Amino acid sequence: MTLQDRIIYQLVDSRSFGGIESHILNLSRWLRENGYFVEVLFLNDYGPHPLKVQLTESNILWRCVNRHRGLAQILKQNPCVLATHGYKAGIIGRIVARFCHVPVVSTYHSGDPGKGRVWCYNKLDELTASLADQVVSVSTEISARLHVTSHQLPNFVDPPKTLNIGGKEVAFVGRLSEEKGPDTFAQLTETFANKAAFSVYGDGPMRRSLELGYPHVCFHGQVDMADHWQNIDLLCITSRREGMPLVALEAMARGIPVLSFNIGALDQLILDNQNGWLVQPGDHALYQQQLERWLHFNDMEKSRFSLAATRQVCDNYCCDVVLPRLLSIYRRAVHLQAAHKTGRKPELL
């Protein structure tokens, strides 16, 4: 039985739309377009969800399961592979898949270990990684935290057919929470309040205080970025912790250069002073210098950076480049699971 004869389930526990959800959407679209059976499973039903809407528009099946019991019933119905994303889906998905003798591949996305209860969940997620048949991480930093061998596979995007042209905004895109550093973005751009338009796209617990403290920034809330990328000239990433943020790939694929602190795997994506800029964390003075440099660029200089950004993503981070490698990992998981059932020693593929 080949991988194309199995259903590839993508399991997630999600309340909103972010990097993991973008990953699942891009992956599911590519799998479907390339002849694979794919279905997205929501571990819990939290009501209306942007991912559900986009999956429906893309003719991709999805459904909500009743936690572990409902998941077990689904996994027992047809030959399948389970792919898990995020800590809750990972912990429950691996345990249920083991019980059902279903091959499971877990992808670790987050570079932020979190605090309090989230830290506990993340730690349990890491400690149970060995229950997966194969493990994928999106950055070296994440891989180093795991106690098992993982395949390091970068995030990926489906590049748009046209480049971003004519944007005027310097923007932050992401969750408005401590680890993403929207407060740092607001602070660093305040000096340039009269020199450019500054926008924040996203929502989160810090939004109210940021709106009150930084009137030079326009806060758009949670929106479909497909309607707003054309307005953006430069993307700023001011995160305190990251893996390989999809927002950077999505921006660069559209010809929007990225100015970021050098964290996570961003040094593999951004070539400093070629398709964007990398600044050491905490060096706020240099960050502002690079931002001011961009604001003084002419159209020809901006065009050079934009083309280099797009080329980097198309050559190394598009679906057609990355996802064949993920398929080989899925096949390896199926092979290992079959070997476990028969008691044979798995052969190297």
Side-chain angles (χ1 to χ4, degrees):
M1 179 180 292
T2 68
L3 188 61
Q4 286 182 304
D5 297 318
R6 295 173 178 264
I7 300 174
I8 302 176
Y9 290 118
Q10 306 291 330
L11 179 67
V12 66
D13 185 73
S14 175
R15 295 176 183 268
S16 60
F17 196 90
I20 289 178
E21 291 75 19
S22 292
H23 176 105
I24 291 172
L25 180 62
N26 289 332
L27 171 56
S28 299
R29 284 171 172 168
W30 188 89
L31 288 171
R32 185 180 181 279
E33 290 169 1
N34 285 272
Y36 293 88
F37 298 105
V38 61
E39 183 174 353
V40 176
L41 304 178
F42 292 86
L43 192 60
N44 291 287
D45 188 359
Y46 299 110
H49 196 296
L51 180 56
K52 296 174 181 176
V53 174
Q54 295 190 56
L55 289 170
T56 300
E57 291 174 349
S58 299
N59 294 317
I60 295 169
L61 296 175
W62 64 268
R63 58 179 142 166
C64 298
V65 302
N66 183 21
R67 295 183 67 82
H68 61 282
R69 291 182 180 177
L71 179 60
Q73 292 174 351
I74 291 172
L75 296 184
K76 290 177 181 179
Q77 290 175 355
N78 297 289
C80 61
V81 175
L82 180 67
T84 71
H85 306 271
Y87 55 79
K88 285 187 181 179
I91 295 166
I92 294 175
R94 286 188 292 274
I95 293 172
V96 173
R98 276 290 179 128
F99 176 77
C100 297
H101 305 291
V102 167
V104 58
V105 177
S106 288
T107 298
Y108 286 77
H109 299 264
S110 178
D112 177 28
K115 297 179 180 179
R117 185 168 60 179
V118 173
W119 181 90
C120 293
Y121 275 124
N122 275 324
K123 185 56 64 175
L124 182 58
D125 188 28
E126 294 169 11
L127 293 173
T128 58
S130 59
L131 294 177
D133 294 288
Q134 296 285 275
V135 174
V136 177
S137 59
V138 301
S139 74
T140 303
E141 181 182 356
I142 295 172
S143 179
R145 292 207 314 261
L146 302 175
H147 302 282
V148 298
T149 301
S150 68
H151 302 271
Q152 190 175 326
L153 205 65
N155 268 324
F156 46 84
V157 293
D158 187 14
K161 295 180 174 60
T162 58
L163 296 183
N164 183 82
I165 298 175
K168 300 297 182 183
E169 300 174 358
V170 175
F172 172 100
V173 180
R175 179 169 166 76
L176 306 189
S177 53
E178 187 269 343
E179 74 279 1
K180 295 295 184 181
D183 53 329
T184 303
F185 171 79
Q187 293 162 12
L188 292 178
T189 57
E190 196 169 20
T191 304
F192 308 97
N194 298 322
K195 297 181 180 180
F198 296 97
S199 291
V200 166
Y201 295 91
D203 210 341
M206 298 179 74
R207 179 175 178 180
R208 180 60 177 163
S209 62
L210 291 172
E211 286 181 321
L212 292 174
Y214 300 97
H216 74 286
V217 177
C218 178
F219 291 85
H220 297 267
Q222 193 71 45
V223 298
D224 184 350
M225 285 307 299
D227 299 326
H228 296 272
W229 282 119
Q230 71 270 14
N231 300 323
I232 299 174
D233 188 40
L234 177 72
L235 177 72
C236 290
I237 293 179
T238 50
S239 301
R240 295 176 170 92
R241 294 170 292 277
E242 277 293 356
M244 171 59 85
L246 263 170
V247 66
L249 294 172
E250 291 170 349
M252 291 175 65
R254 291 168 170 81
I256 303 170
V258 176
L259 168 58
S260 175
F261 288 122
N262 190 358
I263 53 176
L266 281 163
D267 60 349
Q268 299 173 26
L269 172 66
I270 300 173
L271 306 178
D272 189 47
N273 203 33
Q274 296 181 46
N275 59 25
W277 291 275
L278 288 172
V279 176
Q280 290 307 307
D283 194 343
H284 291 184
L286 181 56
Y287 199 103
Q288 288 179 313
Q289 288 175 26
Q290 302 293 36
L291 173 55
E292 186 169 24
R293 183 183 177 190
W294 173 261
L295 294 177
H296 285 92
F297 268 5
N298 59 38
D299 289 344
M300 184 175 294
E301 290 171 316
K302 288 187 175 184
S303 178
R304 177 169 62 86
F305 271 75
S306 294
L307 291 173
T310 302
R311 189 179 306 114
Q312 169 74 324
V313 172
C314 290
D315 289 348
N316 300 292
Y317 295 92
C318 72
C319 293
D320 288 338
V321 171
V322 177
L323 291 182
R325 295 165 56 191
L326 183 58
L327 287 180
S328 70
I329 295 171
Y330 286 170
R331 293 189 183 98
R332 177 64 175 163
V334 171
H335 179 73
L336 288 173
Q337 184 63 224
H340 291 322
K341 286 183 180 180
T342 60
R344 293 184 291 105
K345 182 179 180 180
E347 300 174 1
L348 293 177
L349 292 181

